[in-house]
């Protein structure tokens, strides 16, 4: 995706503390403390450098991680800015006003109006504070756990969560969650699937406009499709348990997620994304 040098959203917050798994970063500063202790005890600080990684290597790894994090933050800020432009335009076409969501990028954990965000919860949208929460290391999960690579895979994830904000703006989230205590878990799961597939469709709508604005590069849509397939309920359950249990699905199968994203990408309209009125998803 062509994103360098373009507008970044002002609605991005950098938060959280610690590294994934609760580990404090052990960069150059931590190594210096260890060397100082060795020196005060009469030892040779240089021996610390010979046991394991050198100080330079440690600093290089820390610097590389910091640079990767910064690059992802900047990339996601540009994607969020694009979604702001896209949904403002679409809402304007329907005589509606689009209220921009916030995006909190964190490493480790962060607090939201919906509870604690962590690397275990994955990216999510909280309607309570109208904010998308995303661990900046989630791209590593996309690659290592879900087999999705490329920057547009990450753009798809953010566009999907922004899709939930669109649903919140249109009142769809309230309508669906009002049914939670009126239906069985299996029945409510069917509504959740439709909710998630609609967010996939809206992510496709964003991709449609991104192409129209000349921001997409060859392979971007394939990257998004791979990400959508990777987070399908059936694929995730088969990887975890060796089988899938359809009654417990809440996001849709890999095939459904890819199909609705593609439908949004090809259509580019909000009207064709009514997943709640179609009989067969």
């Amino acid at each position: 995706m062509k994103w360098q040098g373009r507008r970044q959203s002002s609605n991005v917050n950098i938060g959280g503390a610690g590294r994934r798994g609760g580990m404090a970063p052990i960069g150059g500063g931590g190594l210096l403390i260890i060397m100082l202790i060795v020196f005060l005890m009469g030892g040779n600080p240089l021996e610390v450098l010979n046991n394991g990684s050198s100080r330079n290597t440690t600093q290089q790894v820390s610097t590389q991680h910091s640079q990767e994090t910064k690059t992802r933050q900047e990339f996601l800020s540009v994607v969020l800015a694009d979604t702001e432009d896209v949904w403002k335009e679409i809402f304007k076409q329907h005589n509606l006003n689009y209220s921009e969501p916030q995006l909190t990028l964190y490493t480790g954990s962060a607090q939201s109006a919906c509870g604690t965000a962590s690397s275990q919860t994955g990216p999510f949208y909280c309607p309570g504070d109208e904010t998308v929460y995303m661990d900046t290391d989630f791209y590593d999960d996309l690659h290592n756990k879900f087999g999705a690579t490329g920057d547009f895979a990450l753009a798809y994830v953010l566009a999907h969560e922004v899709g939930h904000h669109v649903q919140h703006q249109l009142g769809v989230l309230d309508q669906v969650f009002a049914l939670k205590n009126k239906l069985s878990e299996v029945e409510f799961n069917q509504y959740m699937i439709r909710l998630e597939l609609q967010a996939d469709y809206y992510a496709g709508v964003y991709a449609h406009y991104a192409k129209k604005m000349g921001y997409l590069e060859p392979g971007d849509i394939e990257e998004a499709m791979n990400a959508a397939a990777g987070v399908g309920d059936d694929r995730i359950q088969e990887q975890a348990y060796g089988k899938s249990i359809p009654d417990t699905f809440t996001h849709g199968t890999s095939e459904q997620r890819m199909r609705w994203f593609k439908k949004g990408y090809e259509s580019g309209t909000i009207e064709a994304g009514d997943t709640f009125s179609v009989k067969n998803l």
Side-chain angles (χ1 to χ4, degrees):
M1 179 180 178
K2 302 173 184 177
W3 65 273
Q4 288 91 344
R6 297 204 289 109
R7 180 179 80 87
Q8 297 183 28
S9 174
S10 61
N11 295 310
V12 178
N13 311 297
I14 308 300
R19 292 285 301 278
R20 173 163 296 193
M23 294 178 63
I26 186 167
L31 188 59
L32 284 174
I33 292 174
I34 295 174
M35 292 176 67
L36 178 60
I37 292 174
V38 171
F39 174 76
L40 292 175
M41 294 180 67
N44 182 2
L46 294 179
E47 291 181 357
V48 176
L49 301 181
N50 295 325
N51 292 324
S53 300
S54 69
R55 174 182 173 183
N56 288 339
T57 301
T58 303
Q59 289 179 325
Q60 288 171 2
V61 171
S62 178
T63 300
Q64 182 180 5
H65 183 272
S66 298
Q67 184 57 48
E68 288 177 352
T69 298
K70 182 180 179 182
T71 299
R72 291 172 188 176
Q73 291 171 348
E74 293 175 349
F75 171 74
L76 290 169
S77 295
V78 171
V79 174
L80 183 64
D82 287 347
T83 66
E84 293 166 355
D85 295 339
V86 168
W87 289 110
K88 278 183 180 179
E89 175 61 27
I90 294 176
F91 271 50
K92 183 179 180 181
Q93 293 171 6
H94 293 80
N95 297 316
L96 297 172
N97 292 318
Y98 179 69
S99 176
E100 299 171 354
Q102 296 288 308
L103 170 63
T104 292
L105 299 174
Y106 65 91
T107 302
S109 65
Q111 290 300 317
S112 79
C114 298
T116 301
S118 72
S119 57
Q120 284 70 38
T121 60
F124 68 92
Y125 170 72
C126 178
D129 53 19
E130 297 190 331
T131 300
V132 174
Y133 290 85
M134 183 181 295
D135 187 331
T136 51
D137 287 339
F138 182 71
Y139 178 78
D140 297 327
D141 286 341
L142 275 177
H143 179 220
N144 299 327
K145 294 182 180 180
F146 305 118
T149 59
D151 56 10
F152 209 72
L154 196 58
Y156 152 77
V157 173
L158 178 55
H160 171 94
E161 299 305 333
V162 171
H164 286 313
H165 178 67
V166 172
Q167 293 171 325
H168 177 56
Q169 295 273 290
L170 298 176
V172 177
L173 286 185
D174 288 341
Q175 293 174 22
V176 170
F177 282 99
L179 300 172
K180 186 173 178 61
N181 295 324
K182 300 178 182 180
L183 302 173
S184 68
E185 182 177 352
V186 173
E187 291 172 328
F188 183 68
N189 284 348
Q190 292 302 308
Y191 281 90
M192 288 299 297
I193 289 174
R194 293 174 183 272
L195 193 71
E196 295 294 339
L197 292 179
Q198 186 176 67
D200 281 331
Y201 175 89
Y202 289 158
V205 171
Y206 156 72
H208 172 92
Y209 278 82
K211 179 183 179 181
K212 194 173 181 181
M213 293 183 287
Y215 298 150
L216 295 192
E217 296 178 314
D220 280 345
I221 295 304
E222 287 74 13
E223 291 172 2
M225 294 281 280
N226 288 337
V231 293
D233 284 325
D234 53 341
R235 182 170 298 185
I236 291 175
Q237 289 188 359
E238 286 167 3
Q239 289 177 341
Y241 312 116
K243 63 178 181 179
S244 61
I245 309 172
D247 284 346
T248 65
F249 288 178
T250 57
H251 287 68
T253 65
S254 295
E255 187 276 331
Q256 288 172 327
R257 301 199 68 169
M258 288 190 295
R259 179 157 44 85
W260 279 97
F261 170 83
K262 185 178 180 181
K263 186 175 181 179
Y265 171 65
E266 293 175 343
S267 171
T269 68
I270 199 170
E271 290 82 4
D274 185 2
T275 57
F276 296 92
S277 64
V278 296
K279 184 175 181 180
N280 298 314
L281 291 172

